[in-house]
């Protein structure tokens, strides 16, 4: 399983991940069109771990993000709930392979693709720091 949208600021100790300001961002019309359908896919995918905390946007827009560290998956990728915010509001770009997967599902997450073993794998992958 692959993870997407995880950054150094999400972890307490040093990790080999980019910082939030290092993520590639775009305000091009082409990306904004893709982002609009990607946000629906990200937000509509199965939740494998639900957390109820609220966190501030790390890019400084001031928005409170409820359940931001909740984990979602489409069976191949895992991400935090707040990724939809960063993609939709701040133009954070997603890996081309992930965009192609979403497009292959016609931008509709495979809701029935997640079972208990896959959910465990998503959790292990999400918080793996080594």
């Amino acid at each position: 399983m692959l993870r997407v949208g995880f950054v150094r600021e999400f972890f307490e100790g040093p990790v080999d991940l980019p910082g939030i300001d290092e993520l590639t961002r775009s305000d091009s019309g082409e990306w904004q069109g893709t982002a609009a359908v990607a946000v629906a896919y990200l937000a509509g995918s199965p939740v494998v771990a639900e957390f109820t905390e609220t966190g501030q946007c790390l890019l400084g827009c001031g928005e409170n993000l409820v359940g931001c560290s909740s984990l979602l998956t489409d069976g191949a990728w895992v991400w935090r709930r707040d990724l939809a915010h960063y993609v939709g509001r701040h133009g954070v770009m997603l890996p081309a392979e992930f965009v192609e997967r979403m497009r292959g599902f016609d931008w509709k997450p495979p809701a029935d693709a997640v079972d208990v073993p896959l959910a465990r794998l998503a959790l292990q992958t999400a918080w793996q720091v080594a």
Side-chain angles (χ1 to χ4, degrees), residues 4-7 10 20 42 53 55-58 65-72 79-88 90:
V4 60
F6 284 81
V7 294
F10 296 158
I20 189 79
L42 293 169
E53 89 293 2
Q56 286 276 316
C57 170
L58 295 175
L65 307 174
V66 177
C68 54
S69 64
S70 296
L71 299 174
L72 296 91
W79 59 91
R80 288 170 40 121
R81 175 169 281 143
D82 54 1
L83 181 58
H85 166 80
Y86 293 114
V87 170
H90 299 286

Side-chain angles (χ1 to χ4, degrees), residues 25 89 130:
R25 295 164 66 182
R89 176 92 186 253

